[in-house]
Amino acid sequence: MLMFRRVAAARRCFSTSAIANANRALYYSEHGPPPSVLRALTYPNLPAPSPGTLNLRVLLSPLNPSDINVIEGVYPLTPKPTAFPSVDHDVFIPGNEGLAEVTETGPSVSGLQKGDWVILTKPQGGTWNSALNVGAQDVVKIPRTEQLTPVHAATLTVNPPTAYNMLRDFVDLQPGDWVIQNGANSAVGQAVIQIARSRSLKTINLVRNRENIEELKKELTDLGADHVLTFDELAEKSTRAKDIRLGLNCVSGKPTALMARYLGQDAHLVSYGAMSKQPLSLPTSLFIFKNLTCQGFWQSRWYTSRSREEREKMVNELVELITSGKLKEPKHEVLTLPKGDSDAEVANKVRAVIAKMNEGKYGRKVLLRIEEPDD
Amino acid sequence: MLMFRRVAAARRCFSTSAIANANRALYYSEHGPPPSVLRALTYPNLPAPSPGTLNLRVLLSPLNPSDINVIEGVYPLTPKPTAFPSVDHDVFIPGNEGLAEVTETGPSVSGLQKGDWVILTKPQGGTWNSALNVGAQDVVKIPRTEQLTPVHAATLTVNPPTAYNMLRDFVDLQPGDWVIQNGANSAVGQAVIQIARSRSLKTINLVRNRENIEELKKELTDLGADHVLTFDELAEKSTRAKDIRLGLNCVSGKPTALMARYLGQDAHLVSYGAMSKQPLSLPTSLFIFKNLTCQGFWQSRWYTSRSREEREKMVNELVELITSGKLKEPKHEVLTLPKGDSDAEVANKVRAVIAKMNEGKYGRKVLLRIEEPDD
């Protein structure tokens, strides 16, 4: 046990003082493809929370593409190392967002109590875990109301804030102004459509052509999209009448150069992804003569650079959009990891889903429900 | 003459009321390669200047790469059409900068008098011309001192301001801060080195490899460059210790993606050219995770968006750098177009130089000295 105590300040450390094996976490010991390196572990109850911290029961946690990048080792943030008594080396628990319920509050915690719902605003909190101990300042409480479902709450930390902040932080948009985006069917893209609509902004939404394109167009139009176009349809447009000052990019590559041509003078092109795995490649003349500004947005940076008050204000505004019916649940499915399964069975289930996600076979968000295993 | 009078409000119009054929201009009637479409024309004296305007004698005017783009029709600004009595259609006089001497002031002009030296700050003023009539608000007076040569003055409108403003408008640089630039041997690049040095900023300067690379490195080091590297030498560097917050780009293409990797967190990459004729192509991750901002700079936009006071202040600060020996003349040669030559001979001389420039065979700036032709 000496080793665990010695490094406790630098990493999470699960005590062995509680006996019951009531929790389960997914983890990796070294970076690699998740279908190879992801494992599961059953471990004892958490000790009572130290001053200023909370113990949480995680209810639902999404498998986001960036979580896969974290495990692969190609993401610029990693979880803190965690020490388990039953593993002879440090491990890393993935999971950047999720809905949790407060099970116990430590001394000096105010404004939060047992039974409250919270979401984590500290990046890489390790939510692929049935239990967590976190600082009270690293969560935001959200209301337990009928309109705000567990799925809403579990997916509230990354995608809707990305959409919300990209529509606020770069261009002073007024009702009636236009925004153009690619990857419009992504979770962020769908949030952009809905949040823009709530502000009376108009959206031009680009998607890849596909078999069920008309069905997809209807879905996005029902969410509030003003125009939905494939890249081919955009290329055929000859008029560029609209003065578009904000473009949102999660694709990069050639289709984004095409989109950028539709931006007006002094526009901002904000990137939050690169699904084409191609660079962002634009004619230099757009920068020089049209005064284009290209920037990036990363919700993790937003959280770490803003005060707790700003984080709470933003989350509360999103909650208000959800409870007033203006921001719908993302398309999703829940993957339950049953209490009766062994750690190996649990790990295999998640590995299989990630393998499918990597093949691009999931059009919907997958959320983990990790049941507390039997002792 | 009816036609000329009818459109006088919309274009420059040279009167025939003065008889002497004292002036000569280079012009084009339609866009195309300058070696094909550039012509010269001898024309009469200008009439007396109207209220608020000046008549100028142009002393020296550079052949800038952007002037060639204007003639080719691939530049976003064009000169206003000009009507000459001896030509049956409108023509266009290129030339974006130059040194001129005031020959006559119109009524209501204050602060300027005959014999003053001025430079034009209105884009596309048509300086490839021995005489000009311009609004008094479109020039900035510069001192006639020994240290400020005609070459200094004639090249003061575009390149040094581009360097000066790019070092000011994007990042709040403090003494000791680093700047990285490519195309460091360009006229702007050389001005960047010298202006940075005058502010105690440090520069990393990238150039293409060439036969006389050591000679070039010495030249730029003598101007004040801290480091001069070829792109190959940069690629071999393994350490990226410096926190570089400003990159200046006039190349684009792959070498610029390499340069961008050396920028620190929250950096700005400012483009003012694309000599590689390739797009600016960067990993999207630089925008998202390193918070890179890409912008463009265009001195013409700067002039049109700033007040006369701001323009004068900037020019005066550059004049101060020149007169204190901190900003040297660009490498150059003067092409005199002799008074005794015919219009055809004059046009052929300029066409030949532009053809050579297009082959990349000029490592120095060419300035036109258009002698007033005989009557």
Side-chain angles (χ1 to χ4, degrees):
Chain A
M1 278 304 297
L2 183 63
M3 179 190 69
F4 299 125
R5 223 170 277 134
R6 191 159 44 81
V7 299
R11 57 187 179 180
R12 298 172 190 139
C13 187
F14 288 90
S15 160
T16 53
S17 61
I19 305 303
N21 273 327
N23 297 308
R24 184 178 270 159
L26 292 150
Y27 74 94
Y28 63 94
S29 299
E30 50 192 49
H31 291 303
S36 304
V37 303
L38 194 69
R39 299 178 195 286
L41 178 81
T42 295
Y43 67 91
N45 273 331
L46 298 183
S50 57
T53 74
L54 311 164
N55 282 354
L56 305 177
R57 164 93 182 91
V58 181
L59 303 178
L60 271 182
S61 49
L63 292 182
N64 285 319
S66 61
D67 296 322
I68 297 174
N69 298 147
V70 167
I71 300 167
E72 292 168 337
V74 297
Y75 199 74
L77 286 182
T78 46
K80 282 201 300 182
T82 300
F84 285 112
S86 61
V87 181
D88 65 0
H89 56 270
D90 285 354
V91 303
F92 304 90
I93 302 175
N96 188 46
E97 67 174 343
L99 167 66
E101 185 175 318
V102 177
T103 51
E104 197 173 354
T105 59
S108 315
V109 169
S110 63
L112 287 165
Q113 57 185 10
K114 187 176 173 182
D116 282 348
W117 273 9
V118 297
I119 58 173
L120 274 72
T121 57
K122 183 177 181 176
Q124 302 304 325
T127 55
W128 293 7
N129 193 346
S130 66
L132 279 178
N133 172 258
V134 299
Q137 74 283 358
D138 294 329
V139 303
V140 172
K141 179 179 169 178
I142 55 169
R144 293 186 70 155
T145 69
E146 197 180 329
Q147 299 95 330
L148 187 83
T149 66
V151 169
H152 267 137
T155 57
L156 191 54
T157 312
V158 179
N159 293 332
T162 298
Y164 180 87
N165 291 315
M166 289 195 303
L167 289 170
R168 279 175 64 114
D169 289 359
F170 298 93
V171 177
D172 180 25
L173 295 169
Q174 299 300 319
D177 283 350
W178 287 88
V179 175
I180 191 168
Q181 68 166 338
N182 57 31
N185 189 39
S186 69
V188 171
Q190 294 190 22
V192 164
I193 291 170
Q194 298 172 81
I195 295 169
R197 167 55 62 101
S198 79
R199 288 177 53 189
S200 301
L201 305 174
K202 293 179 176 294
T203 56
I204 300 171
N205 300 277
L206 306 178
V207 293
R208 282 173 298 177
N209 203 0
R210 60 195 78 199
E211 274 189 14
N212 62 344
I213 182 69
E214 291 308 321
E215 190 184 321
L216 174 60
K217 284 185 177 186
K218 183 174 184 314
E219 273 179 32
L220 299 183
T221 305
D222 288 348
L223 285 181
D226 293 280
H227 297 297
V228 185
L229 297 166
T230 65
F231 289 103
D232 292 341
E233 289 168 339
L234 181 70
E236 287 164 10
K237 292 270 169 193
S238 56
T239 58
R240 301 176 189 185
K242 296 180 181 69
D243 177 28
I244 307 173
R245 287 184 297 140
L246 180 63
L248 305 177
N249 166 43
C250 67
V251 174
S252 290
K254 278 193 182 170
T256 305
L258 177 64
M259 180 176 94
R261 291 179 195 280
Y262 287 81
L263 293 169
Q265 196 72 26
D266 305 324
H268 289 242
L269 179 64
V270 180
S271 297
Y272 64 98
M275 293 194 304
S276 71
K277 306 204 175 184
Q278 297 296 309
L280 180 57
S281 186
L282 300 171
T284 316
S285 57
L286 291 183
F287 295 98
I288 302 174
F289 301 127
K290 289 187 81 178
N291 202 24
L292 174 68
T293 300
C294 270
Q295 289 151 294
F297 184 81
W298 189 24
Q299 186 57 36
S300 293
R301 182 171 55 241
W302 191 97
Y303 280 126
T304 50
S305 64
R306 304 294 170 123
S307 68
R308 182 178 175 178
E309 289 67 31
E310 286 175 290
R311 296 196 294 265
E312 285 179 347
K313 182 169 183 286
M314 187 271 296
V315 170
N316 288 336
E317 288 178 14
L318 288 170
V319 166
E320 171 60 30
L321 284 176
I322 291 168
T323 54
S324 62
K326 291 176 183 163
L327 186 55
K328 298 188 169 37
E329 277 183 351
K331 286 182 282 187
H332 66 274
E333 68 180 45
V334 172
L335 175 66
T336 298
L337 302 176
K339 54 192 283 186
D341 276 13
S342 68
D343 288 340
E345 286 168 332
V346 160
N348 280 337
K349 283 182 177 168
V350 181
R351 289 170 171 216
V353 167
I354 292 178
K356 269 199 197 172
M357 286 171 70
N358 282 344
E359 290 166 20
K361 290 198 178 152
Y362 264 87
R364 58 192 60 215
K365 195 173 280 291
V366 179
L367 298 107
L368 300 178
R369 177 183 287 133
I370 308 178
E371 289 187 355
E372 292 172 348
D374 287 323
D375 189 13
Chain B
M1 280 305 297
L2 183 61
M3 181 191 65
F4 300 125
R5 223 169 277 136
R6 193 161 42 80
V7 297
R11 58 185 178 180
R12 297 172 192 141
C13 187
F14 289 90
S15 159
T16 53
S17 61
I19 304 303
N21 272 327
N23 297 308
R24 185 178 268 159
L26 292 151
Y27 75 94
Y28 63 94
S29 298
E30 50 192 47
H31 290 303
S36 304
V37 304
L38 194 69
R39 297 177 198 286
L41 178 82
T42 295
Y43 66 91
N45 274 330
L46 299 182
S50 58
T53 74
L54 311 163
N55 282 354
L56 305 177
R57 164 91 183 91
V58 180
L59 303 178
L60 272 181
S61 48
L63 293 182
N64 285 318
S66 61
D67 296 322
I68 297 174
N69 297 147
V70 167
I71 300 168
E72 291 168 338
V74 297
Y75 199 74
L77 287 181
T78 46
K80 282 199 302 182
T82 300
F84 285 112
S86 61
V87 181
D88 66 359
H89 56 270
D90 286 353
V91 303
F92 304 90
I93 302 175
N96 188 47
E97 66 173 344
L99 168 66
E101 182 175 320
V102 177
T103 51
E104 197 173 354
T105 58
S108 316
V109 171
S110 62
L112 288 164
Q113 58 186 12
K114 188 177 171 181
D116 281 349
W117 273 9
V118 296
I119 58 173
L120 275 72
T121 57
K122 183 177 181 177
Q124 302 303 324
T127 54
W128 293 7
N129 192 347
S130 66
L132 279 177
N133 172 258
V134 299
Q137 75 283 359
D138 294 329
V139 303
V140 172
K141 179 179 168 178
I142 55 170
R144 294 185 70 156
T145 68
E146 199 180 327
Q147 298 94 330
L148 187 82
T149 66
V151 169
H152 267 136
T155 56
L156 192 54
T157 313
V158 179
N159 293 333
T162 299
Y164 181 87
N165 291 315
M166 289 195 304
L167 288 171
R168 279 175 64 113
D169 289 359
F170 298 91
V171 177
D172 181 24
L173 295 169
Q174 299 300 320
D177 283 351
W178 286 88
V179 176
I180 191 167
Q181 67 165 340
N182 57 30
N185 189 39
S186 70
V188 171
Q190 295 191 21
V192 164
I193 291 170
Q194 297 172 81
I195 296 169
R197 167 57 61 102
S198 79
R199 288 178 54 190
S200 303
L201 305 174
K202 293 179 174 295
T203 56
I204 299 172
N205 299 279
L206 306 178
V207 293
R208 282 174 299 176
N209 202 359
R210 61 195 76 200
E211 275 188 13
N212 61 344
I213 182 69
E214 292 307 321
E215 190 183 322
L216 175 61
K217 284 186 177 185
K218 181 171 185 318
E219 274 178 33
L220 299 183
T221 305
D222 288 347
L223 285 180
D226 293 281
H227 296 298
V228 185
L229 297 166
T230 65
F231 289 104
D232 291 341
E233 289 168 339
L234 181 70
E236 288 163 10
K237 292 267 170 196
S238 57
T239 57
R240 300 176 189 184
K242 297 179 181 68
D243 177 30
I244 307 173
R245 288 184 297 140
L246 181 63
L248 305 177
N249 166 43
C250 67
V251 174
S252 290
K254 278 193 182 170
T256 306
L258 177 64
M259 180 175 93
R261 290 179 195 280
Y262 287 81
L263 294 169
Q265 195 72 24
D266 304 325
H268 289 243
L269 178 64
V270 180
S271 297
Y272 65 97
M275 295 195 303
S276 71
K277 305 203 175 186
Q278 297 296 311
L280 181 57
S281 187
L282 299 171
T284 316
S285 56
L286 291 184
F287 296 98
I288 302 174
F289 302 127
K290 288 187 80 177
N291 202 24
L292 174 68
T293 300
C294 271
Q295 289 152 294
F297 183 81
W298 188 23
Q299 185 57 36
S300 293
R301 182 172 54 242
W302 192 96
Y303 280 126
T304 51
S305 64
R306 305 295 171 123
S307 69
R308 183 179 174 176
E309 288 67 32
E310 287 175 289
R311 296 196 294 266
E312 285 179 346
K313 181 169 182 289
M314 186 271 295
V315 170
N316 289 336
E317 290 179 14
L318 288 171
V319 166
E320 170 60 30
L321 283 177
I322 291 168
T323 54
S324 61
K326 291 176 183 161
L327 187 55
K328 298 190 169 37
E329 278 185 349
K331 285 183 281 186
H332 67 275
E333 68 180 45
V334 172
L335 175 65
T336 298
L337 302 175
K339 56 193 282 185
D341 277 13
S342 69
D343 287 341
E345 285 167 333
V346 160
N348 280 337
K349 283 182 178 168
V350 181
R351 290 170 170 212
V353 167
I354 293 178
K356 268 198 197 169
M357 287 171 68
N358 282 344
E359 290 166 19
K361 291 201 180 151
Y362 264 87
R364 55 194 60 216
K365 195 172 279 291
V366 178
L367 298 107
L368 299 178
R369 176 183 286 135
I370 308 178
E371 290 187 354
E372 292 172 348
D374 288 321
D375 188 14

